[in-house]
Amino acid sequence: MNSWDELLSPYKQAVEELKVKLKGIREQYQKSSNHTPIEFVTGRVKPVSSILNKAARKQISFEHLEQEIQDLAGVRIVTQFVEDIETVIELIRKRTDFEILEERDYILEQKPSGYRSYHLIIFYPVQTIHGEKKIQVELQVRTLSMNFWATIEHSLRYKYSGEIPEDISMRLMRASEAAFKLDEEMSIIRDEVREAQRLLLAKHHSQDVQ
């Protein structure tokens, strides 16, 4: 086994375990009568090429990668509505199988690029043949529209080697605002539909009583 395989193996294990646990939460909601806050869950371990680029950019040695790079392992939780993000965050905060080290709210305070998401850095314990190893994992919680925007922006950043032309950056910023407005509008529509359903049920109940 080479040094990269040895280093990243527990991170791959952590990602797979967290995906199973979070998908389990989604399934529990689906089996209940409650709205499911989790639309889907994905995860990945950072590719070696990306690790090397980040390490070179930040002047991090191989020996300090695990301490200095917090997103070697990443799990993404995608929701339908902005309100679902807070529900998911509260579910994560209540868990006892890992420790939250840091939270970053890029929804209230978006990045200059227009990026929006809620990040949590956790210490996740992985059981290995050498004993327990606590590793850092980055959890990202975002809506479908935030995820769509971030996916396109990431592919463009890769295409332009990190230097997106200014005119495209401005258009991406406008697209980010449009995506956020879409989230807000969909939340309003959902609330109006729920209220209409509530009134309809109340009317039917009233008629049944009579």
Side-chain angles (χ1 to χ4, degrees), residues 187-203:
S187 291
I188 292 168
I189 291 170
R190 181 191 64 170
D191 290 343
E192 288 177 356
V193 169
R194 282 180 171 176
E195 179 61 16
Q197 288 175 326
R198 187 189 68 79
L199 292 172
L200 189 62
L201 284 171
K203 182 181 179 182

Side-chain angles (χ1 to χ4, degrees), residues 47-172:
V48 173
S49 58
S50 296
I51 296 171
L52 289 171
N53 286 339
K54 192 166 190 175
R57 196 169 66 248
K58 297 195 171 188
Q59 298 182 318
I60 301 168
S61 66
F62 183 85
E63 292 73 22
H64 294 99
L65 286 177
E66 294 186 273
Q67 293 77 37
E68 299 293 329
I69 300 181
Q70 295 180 315
D71 64 343
L72 289 178
V75 174
R76 185 173 301 151
I77 306 154
V78 179
T79 71
Q80 286 187 349
F81 302 99
V82 175
E83 294 80 10
D84 293 334
I85 293 174
E86 186 58 39
T87 302
V88 171
I89 292 166
E90 285 305 315
L91 287 168
I92 291 169
R93 286 174 180 156
K94 288 175 183 175
R95 296 191 70 93
T96 58
D97 50 343
F98 52 73
E99 174 190 355
I100 297 175
L101 297 178
E102 190 178 341
E103 297 186 31
R104 300 173 191 152
D105 190 345
Y106 296 121
I107 298 172
L108 284 178
E109 295 183 23
Q110 70 184 62
K111 288 187 176 183
S113 64
Y115 175 87
R116 281 186 168 96
S117 187
Y118 197 97
H119 291 196
L120 301 100
I121 307 299
I122 65 169
F123 246 156
Y124 184 81
V126 172
Q127 305 303 320
T128 75
I129 58 172
H130 304 295
E132 183 176 279
K133 178 181 174 69
K134 287 188 176 181
I135 60 175
Q136 293 187 89
V137 181
E138 181 183 74
L139 303 182
Q140 300 176 349
V141 191
R142 59 175 71 149
T143 64
L144 286 161
S145 66
M146 290 175 194
N147 190 57
F148 173 71
W149 183 94
T151 302
I152 300 300
E153 193 268 352
H154 179 78
S155 65
L156 287 173
R157 191 168 294 279
Y158 180 80
K159 181 179 179 181
Y160 286 106
S161 303
E163 298 295 330
I164 298 177
E166 188 175 345
D167 63 321
I168 294 178
S169 292
M170 292 300 295
R171 289 162 72 182
L172 280 168

